[in-house]
Amino acid sequence: MALTPLEAVRSDSTPLASPDAPAAKKIAGRSPSRIAFDRLRADKVAVGCTAIVLFFILVGIFAPLICKIFGVELRETPGAEALNIFTGYALIGPPEHSFTWEAPLGLQPGTGNDLLAEWVYGARTSLEVATIATVTTTIVGVVVGLIAGFARGWLDRIISFILDLFLSFPFLLGALTLAPIIVNRYATDEGKLDRAQFFSLIFVLTFFGWMGLARLVRGEVLSLREREFVQAARIIGVPTRSILFRELLPNLVAPIVVSISLGLPAFVTAEAGLAYLGIGLTSRPSWGQTISRAIPYFQDYWLYLWAPVLGVMLLVLALNLLGDSVRDAFDPKTRR
Amino acid sequence: MTIVVARGSNTPRKGYYMYWKRPMAAVSVLALTALAACGGGDNDGETSTGDPSDSATSFIEGGGAGQNQDAEAPVPVAEIEGAVAGGDIDVLSISGLTTMHPSEAYYVNTASILSNLVVRSLTQYIYDAESKQMVLVPDLATDLGTPNDDFTEWTFTLRDGIKYEDGSPVTPEDVGFGILASFDRDTFPDGAAYSNDYFLNGDKYKGPYSDPQGDCDCVTVSGNDITIKMAGPFPDMPYWGAFPAISPIPEAKAKDPNAYARHPLATGPYKFGDYKPGDTLELVRNDQWDQATDAARHAYPDSYNMDFNTPSATIDQTILADQGDAQTTMTYDNVLAPDLAKAKQSGNLVTGGQPCTAFWYPDSRKPEWKDINVRKALGYAYSYADAWLAGGEIVGVTRIPGTTIQPPGIPSRPEEYDVLGNGGERSDTEQAKQLLTDADALGTEVKFLYVTSDPLSVDAKNANVKTLTEAGFEPKPVAVADSTAAAEMRADPNAPLNLRSGGWCSDWPSGASWMPPLFGPTGGANYAYFDEKAVNTQIKEIQASPIDEQADLWAALDEEIMTKYYPVVNTGYYGVAALHGSAIQGFLNDDVFGMPTWKDIHVQE
């Protein structure tokens, strides 16, 4: 994945030892996916991480409901009337007053926006971007990889060249260049600008994110296409498309699932990183934006900074560990 | 001079954009007593909690801005009691210096550093501890100049024994060449244009670099006397004489303006050491400077090391920690809002006024602003304190509510008047809606700039969008990606905007440096594109009237423009809140610039 510049926390270290489930000695036919799933279920780290990821997904989906339960509103901007005019801090909650359920994470200094609402909607943005970007990169990567691997000859060489070409583009530079163009183009319409920023972010993440998977899939296909079942299918005249998607794709599930599970956290960090730099999403809540705003306050109002930092950290860590577990489960060679 | 204020810092750029909102009860004007460094004044030992009595009034309004003159100032200047020479001072700032060519330095930071430390001009300012204001005193000239009867000709006499850093003598011809260079708008497009505006042939002569054969025929040298002819009466010449643009430049050594900008020859107490434009500047002692010829400069520290790439949060934390070298570190950037409480407790915070006013300028060429009531509705709909707080300003410290065009400290400032009756600090969206309804202008679009990459700008925009919407306007904020693009777009008369924001600072304490640039037909800061025949005539009449009457006439015009036309919304005056290390003494606010009093700074033993 060509996302390295922003990939802050990316733990490739192996998670805590997960004891292999001693399979029941019952003899039964089980698919590779079934076996992997069973291994996952027995893996405590995987289960714990799944719970955390599920928590964030639920937070994202039910963001409006959560805000309603806590009685807070997104970007209400009460302004000076809710603030200590001399310090800019809120009249309720931290850092100048004690905890209150009216604003569990406090109010943003300077504007009085509720930070819980900001956090909850930030989780939604984060997951939205990461999920969509993962889906699009996976589709592009798999299709290109399948074609390149199966094509042989000039088509394979061209696609491989394009792959190398894309890998040589600096991701951050691309994002930096695109941001002002988008802002200029949609300068006068806030709604359109917001959507344009969203889609351009997905576009940038996809544009610079599909090559890794494509290479992986191409490599797998290269070895698979010489196998007997593929040869047989070709001899009996199965159309190429069917061979690709019916015969080859099912055998690629493992690497694709692994790639997805490791791609998600990378996109979460990339989204936050770009928002932090002011070249990602700027008009809707995003953890990166909150972090960027909170930095001058780190001494006096640590909660302001730590809430989004912990959000990113926990989500990325859980996704990464889960990804490792998925990889272990699908790959019989990494027995532990 | 226009300045840019970005975030909590005095980013002195040409043109700036910002937003603000409503502050506490207006502090009384000219409460200059509180302007000095608050030497440990607010040791209440805890973060302030919103008690309005808490030091609100210990903050300033505006500045004296140097309207006092003293042609007889003693030379050399008296020593400061207890001050000793020595020590190295570090200066931190977030914004890089633009050009340091004396003819072009026109930003508050470049002009202040050059004229206080490096380059001597005809006149200069000195801090007067008694009145706590800046006073204009002679510098290279022996007095503040001698005008003829109608101020169309000024004569300055150059002091003897002035040398450049390389030991060569400063000649009156060099001063003459410096004056000629100040005409050169093609070579120095960002420089101040007062020579072009007021000197004889200023409109025709292109300057020595663009037109080597030409001459303005306005400067004559005889002996040590330099005589300058004006195109019309120019009583404020001694003030213009304090700019680095009116300083000696040796023609033979300044053939290449770009090279000269990297190392202007010093006549003052410090010369350029290592200089990386936009990054760092080292100033070291100039042993050719003779204190015996100087009426204001002390030059106690051995050197200054300036770094212009330090983030605001880092500056605050470094100086507040006050460890090691940080004790001799200072900044002229404003402290960030979250650090204010600690800065006040440290006793090393310098607050004061800056002779600047921020405005919202509705573009008078657009039909939607033709009705004065719609413009007034805009004044009621501005979100004052909300926008100020959201934009990272410290209400009452770095932004002070105001209703008059000219800020406190300008002698031609009128008595307080309040066209909207909101103290320059209260939004009243109901009143605005009423005005809009009566004018049948509900849903008037308001198109103003904000910067997407700056969260503070986005927050301030949101605050204004909220009140504008409540008031019945239809806000259509225009996004730009960064502040450079914002400055460019704001300066473009055909940009898709109908409202611009910006600020104006006086170049010297006179209405002549306020009304013509802001509301005159060729005004450099007339972002409202305000053009009323009656006002134009009045400006001309005032400029031609006797000097001692001008201040009152400018004051009357100030009130008349706002009452009769309300062409701009006053979005507050500027203030300074700068930090220095505990070992630095003599750091006060130079209210002409809103910069430190460099000449008096010294390091405690």
Side-chain angles (χ1 to χ4, degrees), chain B residues 55 66 85 99 126 155 163 183 222-223 230 239 248 257 287 297 302 314 319 331 421 455 510 552:
Chain B
S55 73
T99 177
I126 185 174
T155 304
K163 287 181 189 146
F183 282 85
S222 108
M230 310 292 159
Y239 289 111
D287 52 13
R297 294 182 182 85
D302 288 332
T314 313
I319 302 181
T331 181
S510 157
D552 289 341

Side-chain angles (χ1 to χ4, degrees), chain B residues 9 24 44 50 60 78 112 116 162 204 211 249 253 258 303 311 318 340 372 383-384 399 454 488 572 578:
Chain B
S9 67
M24 68 223 180
D44 44 32
I60 15 76
S112 166
N116 281 287
I162 313 285
K204 290 179 217 120
D211 179 13
I249 297 176
K253 289 164 193 155
N258 291 326
S303 72
T318 307
L340 178 71
I372 183 173
S383 70
Y384 300 95
R399 199 59 86 90
D454 178 0
E488 272 170 27

Side-chain angles (χ1 to χ4, degrees), chain B residues 142 155-161 170-172 221-227:
Chain B
T142 53
T155 304
F156 293 87
T157 310
L158 188 67
R159 267 182 223 283
D160 285 320
V170 171
T171 65
V221 173
S222 108
N224 263 3
D225 289 350
I226 303 147
T227 304

Side-chain angles (χ1 to χ4, degrees), chain A residues 41-56:
Chain A
R41 268 209 312 209
D43 184 342
K44 285 193 190 105
V45 175
V47 174
C49 289
T50 312
I52 294 176
V53 172
L54 265 179
F55 166 76
F56 278 103

